Amino acid sequence: MAASSRTFLAYQHDWNLLSLDTPVTTVYRFNELEDPNRQLFPAGNDDDHVVATEKTIFHPQGGGQPSDVGTMTGPAGTTFTVTAVRMDATGQGQVLHLGRFGDGSSSAFSKGETVRQEVDAEKRLLHSRLHTAGHVLGAAVRHLLEKEVQDFDELKASHAPGSASCEFQGLIEGKWKEPIQKRVDQYIADKREVRVEWWDEAMFREKGLERLIPDRSLMLGEKFRVVNIVGAEVYPCGGTHVDTTDLCGPTSVTKISRKSGKSRVSYAVN
């Protein structure tokens, strides 16, 4: 698999963009992928193709958020159903869209032709609601417990339907479930704006948020993408979100579990 130019991540600039026309840069048969990239797609088989494009509105799986699914349609009406999306494993910044052409493996897009990408809007909205709700939950837990729980820190999160949770360093007792729920409810009722900002390292330091400075491999140019829930919390984040916190919908703190000095707070959106 030859090195290719970095895919422009259109969804990072406008997460409400659900269709986009963009040129094809490469089409691979699944069995032509290098092994590290084949391993990104456990469900892939020899009937599948992988399409790379100049731009994409498809969010690749990562940062706790599942990948988008949808379709690409060529100028002659050829349809490619996108079933999984990943960032390539080679470090070239190319987004790989796995799927299958409508009339089988004998038909494919041509390099350079413009295709129309369309994301499954219902799944995108669900993933965006869950992702924003996860940030709201993280903010609620931090503001309530940062000084109450020994060695507190935010670790990682999953924003997948049916298994959404945020993990924290430190032991969070069950008595905190109701206060966390109340704070989450308040942030959502406040209809706080959720906006994308681009920060360099100096901006993190100026705001006293050195702890949030991400790995430099996540930078776009000289700046990091951050998602700011205005008046609540800022997170380095490459995912999609809703525009205001109330659009998460009712969000339930479902369980707090503890193991090996860490706590997991599970949640769901309704």
Side-chain angles (χ1 to χ4, degrees):
M1 176 177 162
S4 185
S5 58
R6 180 180 295 270
T7 307
F8 177 80
L9 307 179
Y11 65 85
Q12 286 199 346
H13 299 267
D14 183 358
W15 52 53
N16 293 311
L17 190 64
L18 300 176
S19 64
L20 177 71
D21 294 335
T22 183
V24 171
T25 56
T26 320
V27 179
Y28 309 98
R29 291 183 179 274
F30 181 73
N31 59 16
E32 294 174 338
L33 291 177
E34 297 169 351
D35 188 58
N37 281 325
R38 280 201 305 275
Q39 292 181 17
L40 296 174
F41 302 104
N45 62 55
D46 290 347
D47 292 327
D48 292 326
H49 283 73
V50 168
V51 175
T53 51
E54 187 176 296
K55 303 177 181 179
T56 189
I57 53 170
F58 286 86
H59 181 280
Q61 181 172 299
Q65 181 173 332
S67 80
D68 284 322
V69 296
T71 60
M72 298 189 200
T73 306
T78 302
T79 300
F80 180 71
T81 300
V82 179
T83 56
V85 188
R86 302 288 187 273
M87 187 67 72
D88 78 82
T90 68
Q92 297 297 321
Q94 187 174 211
V95 175
L96 306 178
H97 308 81
L98 176 80
R100 194 167 295 184
F101 287 96
D103 54 358
S105 60
S106 61
S107 178
F109 299 141
S110 299
K111 180 178 179 179
E113 75 177 352
T114 296
V115 298
R116 167 150 292 196
Q117 297 180 337
E118 294 185 275
V119 164
D120 183 315
E122 184 176 348
K123 288 188 176 180
R124 161 65 71 80
L125 178 58
L126 175 59
H127 297 164
S128 298
R129 290 173 60 215
L130 280 162
H131 204 153
T132 302
H135 284 205
V136 168
L137 174 62
V141 173
R142 173 172 287 280
H143 289 192
L144 283 170
L145 300 180
E146 185 173 19
K147 297 179 180 179
E148 300 288 338
V149 172
Q150 186 175 359
D151 300 323
F152 178 88
D153 199 5
E154 293 180 74
L155 299 177
K156 61 182 180 179
S158 167
H159 310 297
S163 61
S165 64
C166 297
E167 188 172 306
F168 303 89
Q169 183 67 44
L171 297 178
I172 300 175
E173 297 178 24
K175 68 180 183 180
W176 287 106
K177 183 172 180 288
E178 185 175 347
I180 293 169
Q181 181 69 67
K182 288 182 177 179
R183 184 63 64 92
V184 166
D185 290 345
Q186 186 60 60
Y187 284 154
I188 288 175
D190 287 346
K191 301 183 180 181
R192 293 172 184 260
E193 182 185 2
V194 183
R195 66 188 185 207
V196 168
E197 299 174 359
W198 301 89
W199 292 10
D200 57 22
E201 286 192 24
M203 293 178 71
F204 285 92
R205 299 184 192 284
E206 287 169 8
K207 298 175 186 293
L209 295 173
E210 292 90 344
R211 62 181 171 80
L212 294 178
I213 297 175
D215 186 282
R216 294 188 66 83
S217 65
L218 301 176
M219 293 183 75
L220 182 66
E222 294 301 316
K223 293 189 176 182
F224 300 98
R225 183 181 188 263
V226 300
V227 171
N228 184 0
I229 300 178
V230 177
E233 196 62 77
V234 175
Y235 289 95
C237 179
T240 65
H241 290 269
V242 291
D243 293 330
T244 53
T245 55
D246 57 302
L247 296 178
C248 294
T251 300
S252 302
V253 179
T254 57
K255 183 173 65 173
I256 300 176
S257 55
R258 294 165 293 279
K259 184 178 180 180
S260 303
K262 299 176 183 178
S263 300
R264 176 175 291 136
V265 182
S266 300
Y267 71 98
V269 297
N270 304 310

